[in-house]
Amino acid sequence: MSLINDRYQFIRKLGQGNMGEVLLVHDTYMGRPVAMKLIRERPSLTEEHILRFIDEVKCQSKLQHPGIISVYDIGQADDHRIFFTMRAVEGIEFSALIRNVHETTSTQGLWGVGQDGWSFRRLIQALKQCADAVGFAHEQGVVHRDLKPQNLMIGPHREPLVLDWG
């Protein structure tokens, strides 16, 4: 594993978006895996991009809710890129659950239950919990600017989570 700075060791890449990439890293101080969102290095990176990234961190850190992943830390990598860390969540995207339920729906329009146990009713319940998290964020003055099924996840304990507050 390579070091990102004196605290975090790279494990693997989890994903990439417009502003940054998300890595699974080992927090050597706390002895646990965490997710790290690291601003992406690119030639067109401006101070405005960096300030927007930091604003994302501040917005997400204000949101202490079971349906929103808490921010743990903010810092700078050895290559000077800004990052923040949060709980690492391995789960399933809401969009995949929607597909699974649709695949079990009969030609007569009767909703089925997927092999994973998810039904239309259960999807609606999870979506309501995500809406509650977004409502909480609105009460804090934070608006999610990219709300879509790919940014909703069901965590390992079947908890609905709203991701990517950038």
Side-chain angles (χ1 to χ4, degrees), residues 128-149:
K128 185 206 175 293
Q129 288 177 281
C130 289
D132 290 343
V134 171
F136 171 80
H138 288 180
E139 290 169 2
Q140 308 306 307
V142 176
V143 176
H144 194 297
R145 295 179 286 180
D146 193 22
L147 201 54
K148 58 188 177 186

Side-chain angles (χ1 to χ4, degrees), residues 7 83 107 110 141:
R7 181 172 180 172
F83 69 81
T107 55
L110 300 174

Side-chain angles (χ1 to χ4, degrees), residues 92-99 118 123 126-127 149 152-154:
I92 185 165
E93 280 186 5
F94 199 69
S95 56
L97 294 172
I98 292 170
R99 267 192 312 278
W118 282 82
L123 285 175
L127 185 60
L152 306 178
M153 178 182 279
I154 303 302

Side-chain angles (χ1 to χ4, degrees), residues 7-26:
R7 181 172 180 172
Y8 299 102
Q9 293 177 319
F10 174 80
I11 298 173
R12 66 183 158 90
K13 188 173 183 174
L14 296 174
Q16 185 168 316
N18 186 37
M19 282 290 288
E21 56 186 337
V22 181
L23 311 175
L24 182 64
V25 298
H26 179 76

